[in-house]
Amino acid sequence: MPDDRPPIRIKICGCTDPADFAEWKGSAVDAVGLNFFSGSKRYLAPERRRAVAEAIPVRLLRVGVFVNEMPEAIRQAAQECGLDYVQLHGDEPPEVEAALEGLPVIRAIRCVNSPQQAVEAYFRRNNAAGVPAAKTLLLDAYRPGAWGGTGATLPWDELESLSADWPDVRWLLAGGLTPENVAEAIEQAKPFGVDVAGGVEASPGHKEAAAVRRFSERADAALRKQSR
């Protein structure tokens, strides 16, 4: 799956208010997530998507989050909103990834059992279907009936080996991250990058500028320390 766009290190997800972006100037945030899943409390309806996307500063990558959506609809939204990445956060089969050839994909994996087992199962599934695995993965905590944004955390100490086991894969840590715990999470899990939604919000979809700045500063410092 092609993935030649700039990599994501710090992603703020579930954004719905264009006024938020101006407050992030000078921060270490490098990507914005827009939620196109109608079942989410951070859902962006079709009539608002383009306006919010166009308000995102040029320096920030645009990521569209989809849950069990048809490939045609994903492509249409990607074109309309100028998406840099599409994030598949549902139970999409490998055939959906294959149908999105040409679009950089972030494959979200909700870890039912151990993260290691969940990632291995993803690679086995795609290999059996003859579909190249996504180059960027997002690991999130699993809760029955929920598709992310639950505030649940993963066992960070069980994630450190992922980067060594799959050195060609960029993986993002999600699930219950906040300005207060992100540095510890990075130190233990050793991810390529991090993703946050509820941990920096004033209300669903509306980010608190001070929280975003604290989160991005602490995440950036921890990621830089890790890469030395």
Side-chain angles (χ1 to χ4, degrees):
M1 190 69 65
D3 198 354
D4 56 0
R5 303 295 173 92
I8 294 172
R9 301 303 295 269
I10 301 173
K11 173 170 166 269
I12 309 298
C13 200
C15 302
T16 63
D17 189 347
D20 289 342
F21 307 134
E23 302 293 330
W24 305 352
K25 187 176 181 180
S27 76
V29 175
D30 56 19
V32 174
L34 306 178
N35 199 315
F36 297 162
F37 172 50
S38 62
S40 171
K41 56 189 175 183
R42 302 176 181 93
Y43 172 58
L44 266 180
E47 60 271 16
R48 294 195 61 231
R49 292 176 185 174
R50 187 168 181 175
V52 175
E54 288 179 347
I56 298 173
V58 175
R59 71 175 185 86
L60 299 178
L61 297 167
R62 302 175 183 182
V63 181
V65 180
F66 302 88
V67 174
N68 299 331
E69 186 59 84
M70 297 298 293
E72 297 81 5
I74 295 174
R75 284 190 175 278
Q76 181 178 348
Q79 182 175 7
E80 177 186 352
C81 297
L83 300 181
D84 296 291
Y85 285 88
V86 296
Q87 179 176 316
L88 303 181
H89 213 103
D91 296 322
E92 298 87 358
E95 291 74 18
V96 171
E97 290 183 47
L100 295 174
E101 184 176 2
L103 288 176
V105 169
I106 299 171
R107 174 70 258 187
I109 298 177
R110 297 180 300 138
C111 302
V112 179
N113 299 311
S114 78
Q116 190 83 12
Q117 290 175 335
V119 173
E120 288 175 353
Y122 167 70
F123 282 115
R124 284 198 307 269
R125 185 189 70 171
N126 276 46
N127 185 58
V131 176
K135 300 289 179 148
T136 304
L137 305 181
L138 182 146
L139 271 61
D140 200 358
Y142 172 83
R143 278 190 180 174
W147 301 100
T150 64
T153 59
L154 287 167
W156 300 329
D157 58 343
E158 296 180 16
L159 295 168
E160 182 177 355
S161 65
L162 291 178
S163 296
D165 292 341
W166 292 287
D168 296 331
V169 175
R170 301 190 293 245
W171 72 274
L172 310 179
L173 176 63
L177 297 179
T178 68
E180 289 67 41
N181 68 16
V182 67
E184 179 186 358
I186 291 170
E187 181 179 359
Q188 291 190 34
K190 306 281 191 294
F192 182 86
V194 290
D195 178 289
V196 65
V200 294
E201 285 185 334
S203 61
H206 299 275
K207 309 308 179 187
E208 183 183 353
V212 170
R213 285 189 171 279
R214 288 198 309 275
F215 182 92
S216 63
E217 288 170 2
R218 293 170 185 176
D220 182 57
L223 290 168
R224 288 177 182 275
K225 180 180 179 181
Q226 173 179 282
S227 63
R228 290 175 186 167

